[in-house]
């Protein structure tokens, strides 16, 4: 695909990780939710690897209190590496190195109070500057052949403007998501005519919901900086994005893959089973364990 010349390339990704993770208490009393392991890597590393595979060069974390571990996870750990080298543990060494970020790749800013996702993104405005950027919510994990953000960047190269990953949800669940008012459809792309945060099922304009992958233009910061409170009294990203519609292209993108909501206990358990069953080392054993456990439960 060719780059749409009038839109800049996406080089930066913002990872908002300042939420409280109350649905995982007490596990998240001290440890950040984003450090919960999905099989063998913390959620934040899954998101980082997806972004890196999509060609992202700068990784911007919006952190908060008790979130230092998230930055440290991506540090160079000389003592650990020396010990693994001395013990000739090559596989383990490679796993450690896969979680290191190179020089000047990780940038962190802090959200003093968790005032909402929109506010968290606003906190990254100076690190993003005047260029398009991706947003990755680490608790949304997508199991797919091509990394979800890579699919989106390929589509963005054609569309430019703003692009959000979307999936269809049961109507009774629209009050958990940002929902699209849909326009024309063209393959994987759906024109966005409007966006509503957490509408009641009877008021939802469609059942197409935004998941935690976005490509946005920097003009969204102009709207976020008004600090308008929306659903749940929080500063909502959805409301600021809705204000871009009409002035810039805005599309929903139906990705190939399965999304898991690792911010909820059920979604997290489901993701662990699905990812473990796909794992080249342990997948076969896990599949037989799952089968055995299901049979035992039927007894
Ligand atoms: P969630 O809605 O999952 O909130 O945030 P949460 O606080 O993390 O978790 P619960 O609901 O209490 O269990 C979605 C994403 O937005 C970030 C979170 O870290 C998560 O990645 N977020 C949310 C912030 O960074 N700041 C906020 O003020 C709110």
């Amino acid at each position: 695909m060719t780059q749409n010349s009038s839109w800049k390339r996406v080089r930066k990704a913002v990872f908002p990780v300042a939420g409280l993770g109350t649905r995982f208490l007490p596990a998240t009393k001290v440890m950040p939710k984003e450090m919960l392991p999905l099989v063998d890597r913390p959620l934040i590393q899954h998101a980082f690897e997806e972004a890196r595979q999509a060609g992202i060069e700068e990784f911007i974390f919006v952190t908060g209190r008790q979130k230092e571990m998230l930055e440290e996870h991506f540090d160079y750990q000389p003592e650990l590496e020396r010990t693994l080298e001395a013990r000739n543990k090559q596989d383990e060494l490679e796993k450690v190195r896969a979680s290191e970020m190179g020089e000047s790749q990780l940038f962190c800013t802090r959200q003093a109070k968790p005032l909402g996702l929109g506010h968290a993104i606003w906190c990254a405005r100076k690190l993003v500057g005047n260029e398009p950027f991706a947003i990755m919510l680490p608790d949304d994990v997508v199991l797919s052949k091509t990394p979800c953000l890579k699919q989106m960047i390929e589509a963005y190269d054609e569309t430019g403007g703003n692009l959000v990953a979307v999936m269809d949800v049961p109507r009774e669940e629209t009050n958990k998501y940002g929902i699209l008012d849909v326009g024309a459809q063209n393959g994987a792309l759906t024109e966005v005519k409007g966006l509503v945060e957490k509408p009641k099922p009877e008021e939802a304009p469609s059942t197409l919901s935004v998941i935690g992958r976005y490509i946005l233009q920097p003009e969204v910061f102009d709207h976020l900086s008004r600090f308008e409170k929306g659903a749940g009294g929080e500063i909502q990203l959805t409301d600021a994005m809705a204000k871009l519609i009409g002035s810039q292209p805005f599309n929903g993108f139906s990705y190939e893959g399965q999304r898991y909501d690792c911010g909820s206990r059920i979604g997290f358990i489901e993701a662990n089973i699905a990812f473990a069953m796909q794992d080249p080392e342990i997948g076969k054993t896990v599949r037989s364990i799952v089968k055995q456990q299901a049979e035992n439960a039927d007894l």
Side-chain angles (χ1 to χ4, degrees):
M1 278 190 189
T2 51
Q3 171 80 34
N4 182 325
S5 57
S6 56
W7 299 95
K8 288 186 195 162
R9 196 165 71 84
V10 183
R11 302 184 310 116
K12 301 183 179 183
V14 176
F15 300 73
V17 290
L20 298 176
T22 55
R23 285 170 289 170
F24 274 100
L25 285 168
T28 50
K29 191 175 156 195
V30 175
M31 186 178 68
K33 170 175 73 175
E34 299 80 7
M35 285 304 293
L36 292 172
L38 177 49
V39 185
D40 58 355
R41 281 161 292 162
L43 290 171
I44 189 70
Q45 190 175 337
H46 283 273
F48 160 69
E49 287 178 7
E50 182 184 327
R52 188 169 56 180
Q53 286 163 3
I56 295 296
E57 295 161 7
E58 293 187 16
F59 305 85
I60 301 168
F61 288 6
V62 182
T63 71
R65 293 180 65 235
Q66 294 188 322
K67 297 280 184 167
E68 290 75 15
M69 199 192 284
L70 289 165
E71 300 167 39
E72 284 167 17
H73 180 73
F74 294 95
D75 275 348
Y76 169 51
Q77 298 284 358
E79 296 84 3
L80 178 59
E81 293 200 10
R82 273 199 298 275
T83 306
L84 292 173
E85 253 162 358
R87 294 183 187 172
N88 203 19
K89 293 203 173 266
Q90 213 51 41
D91 289 352
E92 289 79 357
L93 195 56
E94 273 165 35
K95 283 181 188 171
V96 168
R97 287 184 176 150
S99 64
E100 277 167 21
M101 286 213 207
E103 303 292 338
S104 286
Q105 282 198 304
L106 177 59
F107 300 85
C108 297
T109 185
R110 283 172 92 89
Q111 184 190 28
K113 290 183 194 161
L115 299 178
L117 177 59
H119 181 257
I121 301 304
W122 176 82
C123 291
R125 70 202 178 284
K126 293 204 173 144
L127 294 171
V128 171
N130 192 28
E131 59 181 284
F133 63 105
I135 301 173
M136 317 263 312
L137 304 194
D139 43 12
D140 267 352
V141 179
V142 182
L143 185 57
S144 56
K145 289 197 198 86
T146 306
C148 182
L149 188 65
K150 188 166 195 278
Q151 297 177 43
M152 291 177 72
I153 287 183
E154 283 169 8
Y156 169 83
D157 286 346
E158 294 291 307
T159 62
N162 304 276
L163 196 67
V164 289
V166 293
M167 70 169 199
D168 209 23
V169 298
R171 184 160 278 276
E172 61 273 19
E173 291 182 14
T174 58
N175 57 0
K176 294 189 198 159
Y177 299 96
I179 299 289
L180 270 60
D181 186 359
V182 298
Q185 209 172 344
N186 177 12
L189 296 172
T190 303
E191 182 198 354
V192 180
K193 283 179 22 194
L195 285 164
V196 197
E197 184 62 28
K198 300 189 174 63
K200 290 183 192 152
E202 61 277 19
E203 288 166 12
S206 78
T207 52
L208 214 52
S209 126
V210 179
I211 69 148
R213 299 287 181 278
Y214 313 70
I215 294 174
L216 298 179
Q217 297 300 317
E219 286 76 14
V220 74
F221 293 120
D222 300 340
H223 302 294
L224 287 172
S225 61
R226 296 200 188 106
F227 289 172
E228 284 166 14
K229 287 188 182 161
E234 294 191 352
I235 300 167
Q236 296 287 358
L237 179 61
T238 305
D239 299 339
M241 292 194 303
K243 299 210 170 87
L244 297 173
I245 299 165
S247 59
Q248 295 177 337
F250 209 126
N251 288 286
F253 175 73
S254 300
Y255 52 92
E256 167 278 312
Q258 177 70 40
R259 171 258 190 187
Y260 298 92
D261 174 12
C262 291
S264 76
R265 287 191 298 168
I266 293 287
F268 181 68
I269 290 165
E270 198 185 0
N272 263 294
I273 295 169
F275 274 72
M277 293 204 319
Q278 298 276 329
D279 187 284
E281 266 175 50
I282 60 169
K284 202 164 165 236
T285 313
V286 173
R287 279 196 290 275
S288 68
I289 291 171
V290 169
K291 202 162 161 248
Q292 189 62 54
Q293 288 293 330
E295 281 168 14
N296 292 352
D298 285 342
L299 291 177

